[in-house]
Amino acid sequence: MLITHDTRCALETVVDLVNTAPEDDTAPDGLPGVAALTEFVRSHKISDVGTLSDFDLSAVRRIRGRFAGIFAAPDARTAAGMINELVAAAGTTPRLTDHDGYDWHVHYFAPGASVADHLAADCGMALAFFVVAGEQERLRRCEAPDCRRAFVDLSRNRSRRYCDSRTCGNRLHVAAYRARRKEATG
């Protein structure tokens, strides 16, 4: 599956956005305030965003929940319906642009759109490409029992199981190794 630079950036953004949500009522929100949202926008190089407010923060948190639902969708039809609603509500307006030294690419948000509509349109379309390609199952959650972070499995054989093989994957492999050794030594 060919993934263009702008689609890859949108995928990284949506995964990072979904992963800012608290896992439960005791975990902190990864977007606790407008300053955190401003840093998120800056670090993901989200263009055409003006001064952010509490209204923007609230709107981004709402779409974050909708994106989380797409990662949890049981099938492509459900994911497609959720993406269609998200993108339609954003007032999608595809346009070609070549800003900030990047080659031509498509932005799906209207000029002057809110940051929430911007994310809903661009990230929603990036996820839509996976559904269209029959690759919705690549939108996953980490299989580590104590981690449910979202990720997009871009491995060739669709075999990635953990959000990060150096942390979650390695930790589980070490635990399994220790359990086997303990069992072998009796």
Side-chain angles (χ1 to χ4, degrees):
M1 176 176 187
L2 176 68
I3 301 172
T4 61
H5 172 76
D6 53 314
T7 300
R8 186 176 297 274
C9 289
L11 290 171
E12 290 171 5
T13 299
V14 72
V15 164
D16 289 348
L17 179 62
V18 168
N19 289 334
T20 65
E23 292 282 327
D24 56 38
D25 292 338
T26 63
D29 193 311
L31 290 176
V34 175
L37 177 59
T38 301
E39 176 56 25
F40 183 89
V41 166
R42 188 203 59 73
S43 68
H44 287 86
K45 299 178 182 169
I46 300 171
S47 61
D48 295 334
V49 175
T51 304
L52 299 172
S53 67
D54 287 328
F55 177 82
D56 293 308
L57 178 63
S58 178
V60 168
R61 285 178 175 166
R62 276 193 306 278
I63 65 152
R64 173 181 70 184
R66 295 181 76 184
F67 279 129
I70 294 166
F71 277 83
D75 55 52
R77 182 165 305 283
T78 304
M82 297 169 89
I83 293 168
N84 284 340
E85 288 176 13
L86 189 65
V87 170
T92 307
T93 307
R95 64 187 170 97
L96 288 168
T97 183
D98 67 343
H99 64 88
D100 298 328
Y102 294 108
D103 265 343
W104 289 105
H105 60 282
V106 179
H107 279 191
Y108 295 95
F109 58 94
S114 71
V115 67
D117 285 346
H118 179 137
L119 291 168
D122 272 2
C123 295
M125 289 304 299
L127 296 176
F129 295 142
F130 276 78
V131 174
V132 168
E135 302 285 353
Q136 182 259 337
E137 75 277 357
R138 289 182 181 265
L139 308 176
R140 298 192 175 161
R141 291 289 190 156
C142 184
E143 291 182 18
D146 59 343
C147 180
R148 295 297 300 149
R149 292 177 58 85
F151 68 93
V152 178
D153 179 3
L154 297 177
S155 67
R156 258 186 200 195
N157 61 358
R158 298 175 189 90
S159 62
R160 188 170 160 196
R161 298 174 49 207
Y162 307 109
C163 64
D164 186 343
S165 60
R166 289 182 301 252
T167 54
C168 290
N170 192 42
R171 193 169 20 97
L172 288 174
H173 288 116
V174 168
Y177 171 77
R178 288 180 179 158
R180 285 191 306 271
R181 287 195 38 114
K182 183 177 180 180
E183 187 177 300
T185 59

